Amino acid sequence: MRILITGAAGFLGSHLADRFLDDGHEVIGLDNFITGSRENVELLRRRDGFAFIEHDISVPIDIPGPLDGILHFASPASPVDYLEIPIQTLKVGSLGTHHCLGIALRKSARFLLASTSEVYGDPQLHPQPESYWGHVNPVGPRGCYDEAKRFAEAMTMAYHRHHGVDTRIVRIFNTYGPRMRPGDGRVVSNFIVQGLRGDDLTVYGDGSQTRSFCFVSDEVDGIVRLFHSDEVEPVNVGNPTEFTILELAELVVAETGGRSTIAHRDLPVDDPKVRRPDISRARELLGWQPRVALEEGLQRTIPWFRDKVTHGGAQARPLT
Ligand code: UDP
């Protein structure tokens, strides 16, 4: 197959590109490097079957030649990023999704949308099944991401129902692993970089809020299974083992040498208090469940950041 991946310079996009190349497909990566990294693209460029287009998918583009699949992964995904670039975040989720769906329609390609657990907002139902409609503040600081992704889901379903485009929607829960930027700003990268440097770990609020962390190889496997399935309705793909942020901090301190202490900072506005996927549908429809526990996943992730800290002087990027 010939596959277009938007956001191919990003964390998940680059891992997905590798996976499709491993499976013998041709991959066209597209990215504008607003949050993606050139290093990820350089790694992909060494592989046969990979081509790259530098472009902002919020602006229309014609991709030459046939396409069998489009995976739309372009978007800022860290709250620190989308607070800094809210308009680009809204545009890539709305206009970018519309443009990808237009390409999918013209090329008769399958389209997979990278959606998010953020469509559930600060959830009032726990854990979150796909049938839950969510609890999102449209005018709060996270609204730019949450509402863009909700719009993207609605646009995807409209293209499916109205134009018959073959679509898939994956709702991705907190994912971590090698290739995250050290300055990404999300909790796992911040804590690991802080731990490796011996800096304080910045725990927002009292750290009792929860998240459920999925290692990248599990996440990519779930996404690829969904892409190849027949399931049009959204599917949660995430690890259902839930941790408080304080528990994560303690684990990261232990895994990174035990030199850091914990420093509490203000809790961001609209920070979801709990998050955990109900993955019954992924289990039943895709035969998928995560395999890598948090401790093992951290051990497989820390060397990536250690290299960046030791050789590049990498810093975390907590909210100021
Ligand atoms: N968080 C934290 N310290 C940090 C970064 C994040 O305590 O340096 C918390 C944040 O308040 C949230 C959780 O960790 O409750 C996950 O935040 P992240 O930015 O990774 O993504 P989110 O799940 O909120 O989209």
Side-chain angles (χ1 to χ4, degrees), residues 77-80 82 116-118 142 145 174 180 184-191 194 201-205 207 209-211 213 245-246 248 265-268 271-273 275 316-319:
S78 165
V80 188
Y82 54 74
T116 169
S117 55
E118 284 280 326
R142 301 174 83 102
Y145 184 68
N174 297 64
M180 285 187 102
D184 174 275
R186 277 178 285 184
V187 69
V188 174
S189 52
N190 272 358
F191 283 1
Q194 289 162 340
L201 264 60
T202 50
V203 170
Y204 303 159
Q209 71 272 32
T210 69
R211 294 292 186 273
F213 299 99
I245 294 304
L246 210 48
L248 173 72
R265 300 268 181 97
D266 289 345
L267 192 65
D271 198 275
K273 281 176 272 312
R275 182 181 294 155
R317 189 160 147 247
L319 283 168

Side-chain angles (χ1 to χ4, degrees), residues 31 95 135 147 160 171 199 244 257:
D31 208 298
L95 305 177
H135 181 230
E147 296 295 7
H160 174 71
R171 291 187 180 151
D199 296 342
T244 67

Side-chain angles (χ1 to χ4, degrees), residues 92-158:
V92 75
S94 55
L95 305 177
T97 302
H98 188 205
H99 297 152
C100 286
L101 283 161
I103 300 168
L105 177 60
R106 287 197 297 280
K107 310 257 181 196
S108 302
R110 180 169 293 177
F111 173 79
L112 184 145
L113 173 69
S115 187
T116 169
S117 55
E118 284 280 326
V119 300
Y120 303 123
D122 187 5
Q124 293 172 314
L125 183 62
H126 193 65
Q128 294 79 54
E130 292 86 347
S131 54
Y132 179 49
W133 290 355
H135 181 230
V136 170
N137 175 5
V139 295
R142 301 174 83 102
C144 60
Y145 184 68
D146 302 9
E147 296 295 7
K149 291 291 188 181
R150 290 167 66 95
F151 175 93
E153 289 198 4
M155 184 62 100
T156 301
M157 292 309 292

Side-chain angles (χ1 to χ4, degrees), residues 240-278:
T241 312
E242 186 178 7
F243 293 84
T244 67
I245 294 304
L246 210 48
E247 286 169 338
L248 173 72
E250 282 158 8
L251 195 54
V252 171
V253 171
E255 294 292 337
T256 53
R259 291 185 296 147
S260 297
T261 52
I262 284 164
H264 290 272
R265 300 268 181 97
D266 289 345
L267 192 65
V269 175
D270 293 341
D271 198 275
K273 281 176 272 312
V274 290
R275 182 181 294 155
R276 175 186 176 186
D278 178 334

